[in-house]
Structures are given as C-alpha cells and as structure tokens.
Amino acid sequence: MEAFLHKIAILHIFLGFFLILSGFGIESLGINYGQVGNNLPSPDKVLELLHSLRITKARIYDTNPQVLSAFANSNIELMVTVENQVLTTLMDQQQALQWVGTHIRPYFPATRVTGIAVGNELFTGNDMTLITNVVPAMVSIRAALVKLGLDQYIQVTTPHSLAVLAASYPPSAGTFQSELSSVMPQILKFLADTKAPFLINAYPYFAYKDDPNRIPIDYVLFNRNPGMVDPYTKLHYDNMLYAQVDAVIFAMARLGFQGIEVKVSETGWPSKGDPNEIGATVQNAGVYNRNLMRRQLKNEGTPLRPNMRLEIYIFALFNEDMKPGPTSERNYGLFQPDGTMVYNVGISALSSTSSTSTSSASVSFTSNATQVNVNS
C-alpha cells in the first residue's frame, strides 16, 4: 500500500501542478468508479487518488457503505445506483422509503450524494420489464426523498445506452426506438417535472469498432478532421460524441420535450481488446481521453447547445479484472489497481492544441432526417 500512496503522491505533484496553473479543476468532468475487481484499492485510497486528480464528481454502481463512509466530508459529488436486480422492488413506495432511509439518509449530508441512478442501461431490446418498471421506481424513490427532505439536494434519473436510439445520424435524425414509444415519454416527463438530467452512456469506440472502414478514426478520437455537417441544421460536428449527444436532444424534441439537460454518464476507450476489437489500443485510449479532457477544460457545449456545458463521466477509474465479456471490458481504466497509470492522460498535452490528425478522411454516411425544431 505504501507503493500505491507513493504513486499517488507523484501523480499529485505533476497533475496538481498543471491544474493549479490552470486555475481550476475540470468542473464538468466526473469519473466512473467501478468495483468489479478483486484487487482494487480501498475506498479511502481511491478518495486520495480522486483528490490528487482534482476530480470532484464520481459515480458508483451501487450504494457500497464503505465508499459512502469513506467519501464523507470529501466534497466529492457522488452519484449512486439502484442495482437493476432490486429496481422492481422499489416500485413500492414503502420499500423505496426504506431503501432511501437505509442507503442514503445515514450518510447525507456528510457524503455529498447528488444523484440516484435508478438502474443502468435497462433497455436491451429483448426484455422490456425493467424499462417498463423504471418510472414507478423513480417516482417512489423521489417520493421517499421528498418525505425525508432530501429532494432539493438529490436528483433521480436513469442512464441509457445508445441502444435507445433508432437513428442517430445525422444528429437531426435522432429518434427513439419504437418499442419505447410508451415508456420514454413517461421517463422524459418525470425528468422535466423534477428538473433532472437525461443520462446517456455514449461510446464512439463501439461505432468505430463495428465499421472502421467507414468511420474515420480521427472523428471518433477528437483529433483534427474535416468532420461532418448536419444537412438540416447546418451545424458542424468535429467529433462523434457531441453528435451522439445532440441526436438524443433531437429524439427528445420529437416527443415534445425540450430543455432537459443531457449528461454523458459513461464514455471511454479500451486500452486492450480481443483480436476482433479493432481500435482497442493504449495509444487510441490515451488520445481519446486526453482530447476529451482538453475539451472539458474549455467547458464546451455541443454544437446544438454551445452555451450549455456538457457534463461527462469518464469510464473508468480502474481496470476491473472480474468484469465478464470481451477483453475490452476489463481494460477501460485510466489506472491499474495498484495506482499505476495505464497510459499518461497528458498533463502537458492538455495545455497544447489538439492532437495532430492521422488521416484526412471525411465522414460520409446516408440518412433520412426529418425536420424537427429544437430550442437550444
């Protein structure tokens, strides 16, 4: 553990020095702190790492009491999660009140819980049960927060994968899946009524992996590139992540909901993958996250909402060795469990201009965009 602390100390000196020179941390940047590993550091050591990175927002995938206790008086804004397997139980208001009373109230306000994510990526296209039950569960949890006087401090929402979109290119064609025609308006009404954000887990890596011959690597990595122009809005996009976010905004507008904030609850790039996971390399992961952090330092919005700072949570803090699935799933971390950086996120590079383009290819797709007005 001494070695871990030593690495954190060194990282603090270099990264902290840069951020002090910058005058601020990255206010719109958060980190996903997953815990699916058998060799991860204790929550108090993780807190030291977050402080050294000057990151003030984190998301966890449960309500681990050790994490909630360790983060007390830390000023870290913490988003916690209702696990998918208990979501249906919390449709009952008494069960929800008991859950909030047990998992949230004992730690608040010492631990700055600012959000409750009800489930994660509930729409899979196969089983509609969880996504159908999410609104009653959110309503019950919100009612529990109101009863306990916590509703002014803690938002309730649910993160979605991009699978909720039937179309995302160009952004103005953004449309939700037809299977969600009943439940999505209910979700959006809840978010609008409670002024909570729409959360999207957006990974340009997946789009590139599935079609590397048509999607330019520079466009997905935030490198210099010609980008694309939405034929309806005439807005120019120089990266896929912002285009994906704006597609969500258009999809919401098609259902009559405008003004709901969109936050990216997950995005990242794997540093290692299986042979068929094209693009999963240390180099690409480093470039993606460096360029993303550089954009965050500018407090940027998307082309559709240039004056609304886009809040983003990077996935993930650590490589997690017990995650199932392909090799990439265990290699999204910025750090190894022992505190070693998987790659340098670019302390000096963050103050320079964006990475040099590695190709001059432009983005070329086809679409059937239909007109919809969006008030940004």
Side-chain angles (χ1 to χ4, degrees), residues 285-323:
V287 170
Y288 183 82
N289 283 313
R290 275 195 298 272
N291 285 339
L292 177 62
M293 290 181 186
R294 183 181 298 114
R295 295 297 187 101
Q296 289 297 97
L297 278 170
K298 298 178 181 178
N299 288 324
E300 284 188 344
T302 67
L304 187 60
R305 290 178 172 174
N307 298 320
M308 181 179 288
R309 182 181 66 191
L310 179 63
E311 189 167 302
I312 294 174
Y313 287 73
I314 290 180
F315 188 86
L317 185 58
F318 296 109
N319 283 341
E320 300 168 67
D321 67 340
M322 294 180 66
K323 292 197 71 175

Side-chain angles (χ1 to χ4, degrees), residues 34-329:
Q35 302 160 65
V36 189
N38 60 11
N39 55 357
L40 297 176
S42 61
D44 60 316
K45 299 303 184 293
V46 172
L47 180 61
E48 292 181 29
L49 177 58
L50 294 180
H51 279 322
S52 72
L53 295 170
R54 293 178 65 118
I55 288 177
T56 60
K57 295 180 174 70
R59 176 188 173 208
I60 59 175
Y61 293 84
D62 52 20
T63 52
N64 186 329
Q66 293 181 322
V67 175
L68 288 167
S69 296
F71 280 42
N73 305 308
S74 68
N75 210 36
I76 298 287
E77 296 180 19
L78 191 64
M79 185 191 305
V80 302
T81 302
V82 173
E83 298 98 317
N84 290 359
Q85 61 268 27
V86 302
L87 184 154
T88 302
T89 303
L90 300 189
M91 293 170 62
D92 179 86
Q93 290 203 1
Q94 194 58 40
Q95 292 287 342
L97 181 60
Q98 182 179 342
W99 186 90
V100 173
T102 303
H103 294 83
I104 305 296
R105 191 179 188 182
Y107 306 97
F108 187 90
T111 299
R112 292 189 64 193
V113 178
T114 57
I116 299 174
V118 182
N120 185 50
E121 298 189 350
L122 300 175
F123 176 70
T124 63
N126 298 318
D127 185 357
M128 293 292 293
T129 304
L130 285 177
I131 191 72
T132 302
N133 293 342
V134 72
V135 174
M138 290 196 299
V139 169
S140 292
I141 293 169
R142 167 79 177 175
L145 292 173
V146 171
K147 190 167 186 176
L148 296 173
L150 304 177
D151 57 298
Q152 296 181 40
Y153 310 100
I154 303 174
Q155 294 179 317
V156 179
T157 183
T158 183
H160 305 273
S161 76
L162 276 174
V164 297
L165 294 182
S168 60
Y169 181 86
S172 60
T175 310
F176 289 117
Q177 298 282 0
S178 59
E179 297 95 320
L180 299 172
S181 60
S182 175
V183 67
M184 189 56 74
Q186 298 176 47
I187 293 174
L188 296 177
K189 185 177 187 307
F190 175 87
L191 299 179
D193 289 346
T194 62
K195 296 180 172 55
F198 187 99
L199 301 185
I200 190 73
N201 297 342
Y203 290 87
Y205 162 72
F206 291 140
Y208 176 75
K209 174 181 72 71
D210 292 340
D211 201 355
N213 294 323
R214 292 180 64 236
I215 299 177
I217 187 68
D218 289 326
Y219 181 65
V220 293
L221 291 180
F222 293 90
N223 281 336
R224 292 195 190 99
N225 69 95
M228 56 80 64
V229 175
D230 188 300
Y232 167 61
T233 64
K234 307 305 179 185
L235 293 173
H236 177 261
Y237 291 85
D238 65 358
N239 70 85
M240 179 175 283
L241 182 65
Y242 289 3
Q244 291 173 333
V245 171
D246 280 354
V248 171
I249 297 172
F250 269 100
M252 292 192 297
R254 279 190 163 79
L255 296 181
F257 292 89
Q258 304 189 41
I260 296 175
E261 182 180 5
V262 176
K263 295 184 180 183
V264 178
S265 41
E266 288 182 18
T267 192
W269 197 285
S271 59
K272 186 179 180 181
D274 294 322
N276 65 337
E277 295 187 290
I278 298 173
T281 67
V282 168
Q283 179 182 0
N284 286 341
V287 170
Y288 183 82
N289 283 313
R290 275 195 298 272
N291 285 339
L292 177 62
M293 290 181 186
R294 183 181 298 114
R295 295 297 187 101
Q296 289 297 97
L297 278 170
K298 298 178 181 178
N299 288 324
E300 284 188 344
T302 67
L304 187 60
R305 290 178 172 174
N307 298 320
M308 181 179 288
R309 182 181 66 191
L310 179 63
E311 189 167 302
I312 294 174
Y313 287 73
I314 290 180
F315 188 86
L317 185 58
F318 296 109
N319 283 341
E320 300 168 67
D321 67 340
M322 294 180 66
K323 292 197 71 175
T327 298
S328 62
E329 286 294 315

